[in-house]
Every structure is written in C-alpha cells, then in structure tokens.
Amino acid sequence: MEQLSKILYENILTILIFIPIIFSLPLLFLKKQSEKFIKIYSLLLSLIVFIFSLFLFLKFNPDVEGYQFIVKYKWISFLNADYHIGIDGISLLLIMLTTFTIPLSILISWQSVNKRIKLYYFMILILEGSLIGVFSSLDLLLFYVFWEFILIPMYFMIGIWGSEERVYAAVKFFLYTMIGSVLLIIGVIWLVYSCMEKDMFLNAENALRKFTLDITQLDKISPFLQPQRQILLFLLFTIGFLIKIPLFPFHTWLPDAHVQAPTAGSVILAALLLKMGTYGLLRFSVPLFPVAFLTLTPYLAVLAVVGIIYGALVSIVQKDMKKLVAFSSVSHMGFIVLGITALTQEAVQGSVIQMVNHGLSTGALFMLVGMLYERRHTKEIAQFGGIAKVMPVYAGIFLVVSLSSIGLPGLNGFIGEFLILLGAFGSQNLKSIYYSVFSATGVILSAVYLLWMYQRVFTGPVDKDENKNLKDIGKIELACLIPVLIFIVWIGVRPNTFLHKSEKSVNKIILQFKNAEIINKTRNTIDINNSVFREEK
C-alpha cells in the first residue's frame, strides 16, 4: 500500500494528463445506441480525474518555493526535448479549476446535446487532458504541443454543436488563435537560439552551452539577454498570449465563439481556455523577459484598462444575454492582466485568484443562460420579463452568480478585484495611481450591465405567454450549479484556503523581476561607463 501511494505521488501529473486522453478513446468505438452509457462513462471518468486532483491539492506543499511533483524523461533526444512536467501554486489552482469544471460541463450537456454524442464527450475529455498538460509542462516544446492540440477539439465543438453561424465562428476562432500560435512557436525557436549566442548577452559567460527547451534553465539565462532581443521575443510570446486571453484589441473572435458555441463549449472557453493566456504571461513573459516587461509595462497596462472599460461599456448595450456575458469576460480579463502588470504581491495574488473566480462566475453565467435558452430557444433580453415569478429558484441562483461577478463583498469576485486594485494602486512598476482609478470604473459598470439585465429579464410582469409556463430549475441543472455556488461563497469567506497555495510561487516571480531590475540598472551603468571611456579615448 505504501509502495502504491509512492507511485501515485510520483506520477500523479502524468495520471491526470493521460487518464482523460487514453480512456476517452473507447468512446469512439461504442455504438450509437449506447448514449446513456457514453454519458455516464464520460462523467465518471471526469470525476475520477477530479478525485486524483484532490490528492494533488492535499499533497501540495505551499511552503516550497519551486516546482513539485516533477517528472522528467527523455522525449526527443536530438532536440534535447524532455517529457518534463511539474507544478507550482499557480499551476495547481488552474489544474483544480480544470478538473472541477469538466464534470460540470459534461453534466450541463446531459439533455441539451443530442447529436454525435460519443464524439462530443470525446472532445471534452481530450480538452481536459490537454489543458492539464499546458498548466504542468516545464518543457517549451511539450507546452507548445499541448497548447496547439487544444485548438482541434475546441474548433470542432464550436463548428459541429454550435448555433446557426457556428462555422463562421469556428473558423474565426481557429484563425485568430492559430496566428497567436505561429508567433509563439517563432518566439520559442528564436529564444532557444538567442540563449546560445554569446553576443546576445551582457556577459558572454551567461550563454547556454547547449540547446535546451527546459523552462527552469531558460528563465535563469534569458533575463541576461540584451534589451533589444528581449523586447522582440517578449512581443512574439505576449501577442500570442494576449490573443488567447483575449485582451483589447485582440478580442474580436471571442463574442462570436461564445455566442455560437454550445453551453459546455462556452463554459470551457470562459473558465479554462482564456486562462491559458494569463497563465502564459505569468509563466513565460515575466520570468523569461523581465527587462522587456519592465519597458513595455505601461503599454500593456493601458490595454488592460481600455479592455476593462471597453468590455463593460459594450456589455451595457448588448441585446443578447450570451453576448453580454461574453463581452463581460473581456472586461474581467483586463483586471487580471492589470494585476500582472502591477507585479506586486497583492496584485499578482489577486490576478491568480481572479482567474479562478472568473472561471466560476462567468462559467456559471453561461450555464444559466444556456438553461434559459433550452426552454425558450432565444437569448434576446427583450423576449423575457418577470421570469422570477415562474422560476424563483433559478432567479435566486442567477442573482447570486451575478453579484459574485460584480464583486459583492462576501462572494468570490470581491477578493480578486480588491487585491488587484490595491496592488496596482501602490505599484512601483506602474508608477501611477490612475490605472487603478480608471479600472475601478469597471466595477461600477459591471453592476450596471448585470443588474440592468437582471431587472429586464426577471422583474416586472410576465407579459409574454411563452414565459408563463417555464419550468424552474431541474435536478441535473441544480447539480451543476450547487458546487459552483459553494466555491463562490467559500472563496469569498475563506480566500486564504487558495491564496496560501500560490503565495510562494507569486513571491518567486516577483523576486525574479526585481533581480531583473538590478540587471537592467547594472547594464545601463556599464553602457554609460563604456560610452564615457570611448569619449575620453
């Protein structure tokens, strides 16, 4: 038993990645008549993965600064690429969000998806394994393989099971994200070769002796690259991540993808896929290119603030509930990016927990809108009114989730936004309180668009016959929402349960950045001294 526990501990990440990928394959060989079995099998498989992730959460040591559960095997020898995985506190929370969201996505599809069932659930499980791979990869090539592989199941989920304009939305999603992926792979290749060129460094001794794709080695070497090269590499990596987030002005694919995707597709897209971008910023853009990050922070912060306000203003004028929630994601993701640019302990911790909060709150809003769509086959706000009278339980849950998205104290959204605004306000990296001041208007505007939507949909008289006989929330739907509500309150009341897990990892990133500032100042001093020496000579 002790030996089994040791094997499980050492290989838990590999198990989490490959259980959903390998055990989803039998779904493709089942008969079409086995629909009920396919659903039960997929749900049980996703729940098993969630149980294993709980083991990961409980065994994770928050007092350790580096990566844990590390596994490293040779993969492609001539490229010196390894199957190298491991997690820190940031990865842990996003993996937990993934394993928590996927069973709910399967359950929410129980009655709404009726065509190509086995392929549909196969795609969801493939997505789960690939997402865990993205959040745990410590080799750049392995990371890129998982990153790119996620495009395929998401493309088919939108294109096959989406709404009327699903093909247009799927192609737009694929093209946008493929552009980001191309930029990313160019950046990866250029980074590795740059780290081997001695003339790219302030001190030639910093150059790598051999070709490597190991992130843990590259983030010790790449901060010493010359600023010009860092900036170019930073732009390649970061634009790829900003498209995935998506941050203004790279956001235009998101509303179409959300509106046309099936409910589970929208939930996975909002809760998980968008976090790949913000995770990429924290895992790669900041540690690998800190001098470039320091130089370009004002531009990135301005885009974040514009995204916060723009997303909120556009949400106010939406007539479609799903599109309103989609544009609200642009606003909320802007807050997360702002926290990363501030790079204070409070702001980055706020960004990390806000990734989880956004996944819970916005994912739940997409579930709720999907439930209403299944009953009325419309998402137009004008088609509703007085729904609270015929669907009181549904209306109550919708209000709680809306308030959590707004950031009501006592619910999860408050702690994330508060920490981000607090950290940004006193950030030496941003050097201005105006980023926080203008971003705070996004909190007010979120109350405007969500509460105004709630008023129009749920209050007043039931003036349309189609709305008078709507059924209140069902058992399966309730089973999807109750776990989310539990965590919405839990994070709001006891955020330290999760913040404690990521504290050391955030500290490490901030320390790397401060060291880079010292490197940058040293470089500037040397450049000035060399210039003076040349003039004297």
Side-chain angles (χ1 to χ4, degrees):
M1 192 68 178
E2 190 175 321
Q3 187 68 21
L4 182 64
S5 179
K6 184 181 177 183
I7 293 170
L8 177 62
Y9 181 86
E10 291 174 349
N11 297 282
I12 184 66
L13 284 176
T14 300
I15 291 168
L16 285 170
I17 293 168
F18 289 104
I19 277 184
I21 293 174
I22 293 172
F23 286 92
S24 65
L25 292 173
L27 289 173
L28 299 175
F29 301 98
L30 293 173
K31 294 181 179 179
K32 186 181 178 182
Q33 292 76 9
S34 311
E35 286 186 4
K36 189 173 182 181
F37 176 78
I38 290 168
K39 293 176 182 178
I40 294 171
Y41 177 85
S42 302
L43 180 61
L44 288 176
L45 189 57
S46 65
L47 288 173
I48 288 169
V49 175
F50 177 65
I51 290 168
F52 276 117
S53 72
L54 288 177
F55 175 86
L56 186 77
F57 187 82
L58 294 172
K59 291 293 183 181
F60 182 86
N61 186 351
D63 297 321
V64 175
E65 191 176 78
Y67 294 102
Q68 300 178 47
F69 305 99
I70 294 173
V71 175
K72 189 173 184 179
Y73 298 113
K74 275 294 173 192
W75 179 31
I76 306 175
S77 297
F78 70 92
L79 285 178
N80 204 24
D82 300 319
Y83 173 73
H84 187 190
I85 55 175
I87 62 166
D88 62 1
I90 299 167
S91 310
L92 174 71
L93 294 182
L94 292 174
I95 288 172
M96 292 304 301
L97 180 64
T98 302
T99 61
F100 176 77
T101 302
I102 294 298
L104 302 181
S105 301
I106 291 172
L107 204 54
I108 200 67
S109 308
W110 207 266
Q111 296 171 327
S112 59
V113 176
N114 301 307
K115 65 177 181 179
R116 300 185 184 182
I117 299 288
K118 58 184 181 181
L119 183 61
Y120 178 81
Y121 289 105
F122 171 75
M123 292 295 176
I124 292 180
L125 291 168
I126 289 290
L127 268 171
E128 180 174 30
S130 302
L131 281 161
I132 296 170
V134 164
F135 296 136
S136 58
S137 293
L138 296 180
D139 181 276
L140 274 174
L141 184 60
L142 184 66
F143 170 82
Y144 185 77
V145 168
F146 284 123
W147 173 281
E148 195 68 7
F149 193 68
I150 285 168
L151 287 179
I152 301 168
M154 200 67 223
Y155 170 80
F156 284 115
M157 281 192 74
I158 298 170
I160 296 175
W161 294 279
S163 301
E164 295 81 6
E165 297 179 20
R166 58 186 179 273
V167 175
Y168 167 77
V171 171
K172 191 173 181 179
F173 161 78
F174 190 84
L175 289 176
Y176 259 83
T177 48
M178 179 57 74
I179 290 169
S181 297
V182 169
L183 294 175
L184 185 58
I185 192 61
I186 292 171
V188 168
I189 295 168
W190 200 7
L191 169 65
V192 174
Y193 278 104
S194 293
C195 287
M196 296 175 67
E197 296 175 19
K198 292 185 178 181
D199 60 342
M200 285 293 102
F201 290 87
L202 173 66
N203 183 347
E205 293 301 315
N206 292 319
L208 284 173
R209 301 292 184 272
K210 62 179 181 178
F211 188 96
T212 184
L213 292 154
D214 190 330
I215 295 167
T216 60
Q217 290 186 45
L218 289 170
D219 66 8
K220 294 174 184 175
I221 301 297
S222 60
F224 293 92
L225 287 168
Q226 291 178 359
Q228 295 84 351
R229 181 58 59 92
Q230 274 202 46
I231 288 171
L232 292 172
L233 289 167
F234 176 84
L235 288 172
L236 288 171
F237 274 77
T238 303
I239 291 173
F241 297 141
L242 296 185
I243 290 172
K244 185 72 79 176
I245 287 173
L247 189 68
F248 176 91
F250 307 102
H251 68 284
T252 55
W253 64 267
L254 182 70
D256 291 308
H258 268 316
V259 170
Q260 300 304 321
T263 299
S266 293
V267 172
I268 293 170
L269 193 60
L272 305 174
L273 262 69
L274 305 190
K275 308 310 177 298
M276 290 166 59
T278 47
Y279 174 78
L281 285 179
L282 273 176
R283 178 63 70 238
F284 301 100
S285 295
V286 178
L288 292 175
F289 319 111
V291 176
F293 184 81
L294 182 67
T295 305
L296 298 176
T297 287
Y299 304 102
L300 201 56
V302 166
L303 289 181
V305 174
V306 171
I308 290 168
I309 298 171
Y310 168 83
L313 289 174
V314 176
S315 294
I316 291 172
V317 299
Q318 294 306 312
K319 298 177 181 178
D320 183 296
M321 279 191 286
K322 205 171 185 185
K323 191 169 277 191
L324 183 152
V325 178
F327 274 107
S328 77
S329 285
V330 176
S331 182
H332 287 127
M333 295 305 289
F335 272 107
I336 297 171
V337 175
L338 179 68
I340 294 170
T341 59
L343 220 63
T344 60
Q345 177 71 24
E346 299 86 0
V348 179
Q349 278 282 67
S351 290
V352 172
I353 199 67
Q354 192 65 7
M355 291 185 212
V356 177
N357 293 339
H358 177 265
L360 294 170
S361 302
T362 306
L365 283 173
F366 277 119
M367 286 186 202
L368 288 160
V369 172
M371 292 171 190
L372 201 55
Y373 178 77
E374 288 302 313
R375 289 162 170 76
R376 284 282 279 107
H377 302 290
T378 180
K379 302 183 288 289
E380 291 290 323
I381 294 172
Q383 295 298 315
F384 299 97
I387 300 299
K389 292 182 174 64
V390 291
M391 301 175 70
V393 177
Y394 175 88
I397 294 173
F398 203 112
L399 180 60
V400 172
V401 175
S402 297
L403 292 174
S404 80
S405 186
I406 292 167
L408 183 75
L411 299 178
N412 63 336
F414 171 75
I415 189 66
E417 289 181 353
F418 176 76
L419 285 173
I420 290 168
L421 292 173
L422 178 67
F425 194 88
S427 170
Q428 293 181 352
N429 192 33
L430 292 178
K431 298 182 177 68
S432 174
I433 65 170
Y434 291 109
Y435 294 106
S436 279
V437 172
F438 284 112
S439 297
T441 61
V443 179
I444 300 167
L445 292 172
S446 68
V448 173
Y449 62 73
L450 281 170
L451 294 180
W452 189 32
M453 177 188 71
Y454 190 88
Q455 179 191 14
R456 288 177 287 169
V457 173
F458 292 95
T459 64
V462 186
D463 54 359
K464 288 183 172 58
D465 293 336
E466 298 91 337
N467 297 330
K468 292 179 180 177
N469 298 315
L470 291 176
K471 292 182 180 179
D472 205 350
I473 198 163
K475 292 179 181 178
I476 293 177
E477 295 167 334
L478 207 56
C480 293
L481 291 167
I482 286 176
V484 180
L485 292 174
I486 290 170
F487 279 99
I488 282 174
V489 176
W490 188 348
I491 296 174
V493 176
R494 293 294 301 273
N496 202 49
T497 308
F498 307 95
L499 289 171
H500 184 52
K501 296 286 186 181
S502 60
E503 186 177 350
K504 289 286 185 182
S505 305
V506 168
N507 277 338
K508 182 183 176 184
I509 290 172
I510 294 170
L511 183 61
Q512 283 177 303
F513 179 77
K514 287 180 178 177
N515 289 340
E517 285 187 291
I518 296 169
I519 294 166
N520 194 35
K521 288 174 182 175
T522 305
R523 178 183 288 117
N524 292 337
T525 303
I526 291 171
D527 290 341
I528 291 168
N529 290 339
N530 288 340
S531 177
V532 171
F533 177 75
R534 283 194 297 269
E535 287 177 9
E536 289 176 351
K537 189 174 180 180

PDB file of all heavy atoms in Angstrom, residues 198-210:
ATOM      1  N   LYS A 198      26.536  34.110 -27.808  1.00  0.00           N
ATOM      2  CA  LYS A 198      27.271  34.863 -26.788  1.00  0.00           C
ATOM      3  C   LYS A 198      27.152  36.369 -26.962  1.00  0.00           C
ATOM      4  O   LYS A 198      27.158  37.121 -25.992  1.00  0.00           O
ATOM      5  CB  LYS A 198      28.742  34.444 -26.785  1.00  0.00           C
ATOM      6  CG  LYS A 198      28.959  33.013 -26.310  1.00  0.00           C
ATOM      7  CD  LYS A 198      30.431  32.673 -26.217  1.00  0.00           C
ATOM      8  CE  LYS A 198      30.613  31.249 -25.694  1.00  0.00           C
ATOM      9  NZ  LYS A 198      32.038  30.894 -25.566  1.00  0.00           N
ATOM     10  N   ASP A 199      27.051  36.830 -28.224  1.00  0.00           N
ATOM     11  CA  ASP A 199      26.987  38.270 -28.448  1.00  0.00           C
ATOM     12  C   ASP A 199      25.628  38.863 -28.121  1.00  0.00           C
ATOM     13  O   ASP A 199      25.429  40.077 -28.226  1.00  0.00           O
ATOM     14  CB  ASP A 199      27.356  38.607 -29.901  1.00  0.00           C
ATOM     15  CG  ASP A 199      26.426  37.940 -30.908  1.00  0.00           C
ATOM     16  OD1 ASP A 199      25.739  36.968 -30.523  1.00  0.00           O
ATOM     17  OD2 ASP A 199      26.386  38.389 -32.073  1.00  0.00           O
ATOM     18  N   MET A 200      24.673  38.003 -27.703  1.00  0.00           N
ATOM     19  CA  MET A 200      23.351  38.496 -27.307  1.00  0.00           C
ATOM     20  C   MET A 200      23.294  38.856 -25.826  1.00  0.00           C
ATOM     21  O   MET A 200      22.276  39.325 -25.332  1.00  0.00           O
ATOM     22  CB  MET A 200      22.276  37.429 -27.605  1.00  0.00           C
ATOM     23  CG  MET A 200      21.912  37.294 -29.073  1.00  0.00           C
ATOM     24  SD  MET A 200      21.090  38.768 -29.699  1.00  0.00           S
ATOM     25  CE  MET A 200      22.423  39.561 -30.579  1.00  0.00           C
ATOM     26  N   PHE A 201      24.376  38.611 -25.097  1.00  0.00           N
ATOM     27  CA  PHE A 201      24.381  38.797 -23.646  1.00  0.00           C
ATOM     28  C   PHE A 201      25.309  39.941 -23.230  1.00  0.00           C
ATOM     29  O   PHE A 201      26.264  40.279 -23.929  1.00  0.00           O
ATOM     30  CB  PHE A 201      24.843  37.512 -22.953  1.00  0.00           C
ATOM     31  CG  PHE A 201      23.857  36.393 -23.029  1.00  0.00           C
ATOM     32  CD1 PHE A 201      23.838  35.537 -24.112  1.00  0.00           C
ATOM     33  CD2 PHE A 201      22.930  36.208 -22.018  1.00  0.00           C
ATOM     34  CE1 PHE A 201      22.923  34.500 -24.186  1.00  0.00           C
ATOM     35  CE2 PHE A 201      22.009  35.177 -22.076  1.00  0.00           C
ATOM     36  CZ  PHE A 201      22.012  34.325 -23.164  1.00  0.00           C
ATOM     37  N   LEU A 202      24.955  40.507 -22.074  1.00  0.00           N
ATOM     38  CA  LEU A 202      25.848  41.494 -21.454  1.00  0.00           C
ATOM     39  C   LEU A 202      27.191  40.849 -21.125  1.00  0.00           C
ATOM     40  O   LEU A 202      28.252  41.420 -21.346  1.00  0.00           O
ATOM     41  CB  LEU A 202      25.193  42.037 -20.180  1.00  0.00           C
ATOM     42  CG  LEU A 202      26.042  42.964 -19.313  1.00  0.00           C
ATOM     43  CD1 LEU A 202      26.328  44.257 -20.049  1.00  0.00           C
ATOM     44  CD2 LEU A 202      25.337  43.241 -17.998  1.00  0.00           C
ATOM     45  N   ASN A 203      27.119  39.623 -20.604  1.00  0.00           N
ATOM     46  CA  ASN A 203      28.312  38.853 -20.273  1.00  0.00           C
ATOM     47  C   ASN A 203      28.224  37.525 -21.028  1.00  0.00           C
ATOM     48  O   ASN A 203      27.294  36.759 -20.816  1.00  0.00           O
ATOM     49  CB  ASN A 203      28.376  38.617 -18.769  1.00  0.00           C
ATOM     50  CG  ASN A 203      29.642  37.889 -18.346  1.00  0.00           C
ATOM     51  OD1 ASN A 203      30.371  37.348 -19.181  1.00  0.00           O
ATOM     52  ND2 ASN A 203      29.905  37.883 -17.049  1.00  0.00           N
ATOM     53  N   ALA A 204      29.181  37.267 -21.873  1.00  0.00           N
ATOM     54  CA  ALA A 204      29.137  36.073 -22.726  1.00  0.00           C
ATOM     55  C   ALA A 204      29.072  34.775 -21.926  1.00  0.00           C
ATOM     56  O   ALA A 204      28.593  33.758 -22.413  1.00  0.00           O
ATOM     57  CB  ALA A 204      30.358  36.047 -23.653  1.00  0.00           C
ATOM     58  N   GLU A 205      29.537  34.818 -20.668  1.00  0.00           N
ATOM     59  CA  GLU A 205      29.519  33.614 -19.832  1.00  0.00           C
ATOM     60  C   GLU A 205      28.099  33.162 -19.507  1.00  0.00           C
ATOM     61  O   GLU A 205      27.886  32.031 -19.092  1.00  0.00           O
ATOM     62  CB  GLU A 205      30.284  33.883 -18.537  1.00  0.00           C
ATOM     63  CG  GLU A 205      31.776  34.101 -18.729  1.00  0.00           C
ATOM     64  CD  GLU A 205      32.441  32.904 -19.376  1.00  0.00           C
ATOM     65  OE1 GLU A 205      32.148  31.765 -18.956  1.00  0.00           O
ATOM     66  OE2 GLU A 205      33.247  33.089 -20.310  1.00  0.00           O
ATOM     67  N   ASN A 206      27.133  34.055 -19.688  1.00  0.00           N
ATOM     68  CA  ASN A 206      25.741  33.693 -19.381  1.00  0.00           C
ATOM     69  C   ASN A 206      25.111  32.805 -20.449  1.00  0.00           C
ATOM     70  O   ASN A 206      24.061  32.216 -20.218  1.00  0.00           O
ATOM     71  CB  ASN A 206      24.884  34.958 -19.228  1.00  0.00           C
ATOM     72  CG  ASN A 206      25.258  35.754 -17.995  1.00  0.00           C
ATOM     73  OD1 ASN A 206      25.509  35.183 -16.946  1.00  0.00           O
ATOM     74  ND2 ASN A 206      25.313  37.071 -18.119  1.00  0.00           N
ATOM     75  N   ALA A 207      25.699  32.743 -21.622  1.00  0.00           N
ATOM     76  CA  ALA A 207      25.104  31.985 -22.725  1.00  0.00           C
ATOM     77  C   ALA A 207      25.033  30.498 -22.399  1.00  0.00           C
ATOM     78  O   ALA A 207      25.888  29.944 -21.704  1.00  0.00           O
ATOM     79  CB  ALA A 207      25.907  32.204 -23.999  1.00  0.00           C
ATOM     80  N   LEU A 208      23.999  29.846 -22.917  1.00  0.00           N
ATOM     81  CA  LEU A 208      23.846  28.407 -22.726  1.00  0.00           C
ATOM     82  C   LEU A 208      24.932  27.652 -23.477  1.00  0.00           C
ATOM     83  O   LEU A 208      25.358  28.052 -24.565  1.00  0.00           O
ATOM     84  CB  LEU A 208      22.473  27.948 -23.248  1.00  0.00           C
ATOM     85  CG  LEU A 208      21.257  28.255 -22.372  1.00  0.00           C
ATOM     86  CD1 LEU A 208      19.990  27.895 -23.119  1.00  0.00           C
ATOM     87  CD2 LEU A 208      21.316  27.503 -21.058  1.00  0.00           C
ATOM     88  N   ARG A 209      25.361  26.540 -22.905  1.00  0.00           N
ATOM     89  CA  ARG A 209      26.386  25.732 -23.561  1.00  0.00           C
ATOM     90  C   ARG A 209      25.785  24.775 -24.593  1.00  0.00           C
ATOM     91  O   ARG A 209      26.455  24.330 -25.506  1.00  0.00           O
ATOM     92  CB  ARG A 209      27.154  24.918 -22.513  1.00  0.00           C
ATOM     93  CG  ARG A 209      27.845  25.758 -21.454  1.00  0.00           C
ATOM     94  CD  ARG A 209      29.003  26.565 -22.042  1.00  0.00           C
ATOM     95  NE  ARG A 209      29.731  27.295 -21.002  1.00  0.00           N
ATOM     96  CZ  ARG A 209      29.416  28.503 -20.571  1.00  0.00           C
ATOM     97  NH1 ARG A 209      28.371  29.140 -21.093  1.00  0.00           N
ATOM     98  NH2 ARG A 209      30.119  29.100 -19.640  1.00  0.00           N
ATOM     99  N   LYS A 210      24.512  24.444 -24.421  1.00  0.00           N
ATOM    100  CA  LYS A 210      23.878  23.507 -25.354  1.00  0.00           C
ATOM    101  C   LYS A 210      22.410  23.862 -25.539  1.00  0.00           C
ATOM    102  O   LYS A 210      21.811  24.580 -24.745  1.00  0.00           O
ATOM    103  CB  LYS A 210      24.012  22.065 -24.838  1.00  0.00           C
ATOM    104  CG  LYS A 210      23.331  21.816 -23.496  1.00  0.00           C
ATOM    105  CD  LYS A 210      23.480  20.364 -23.079  1.00  0.00           C
ATOM    106  CE  LYS A 210      22.756  20.116 -21.734  1.00  0.00           C
ATOM    107  NZ  LYS A 210      22.841  18.713 -21.333  1.00  0.00           N
TER     108      LYS A 210
END
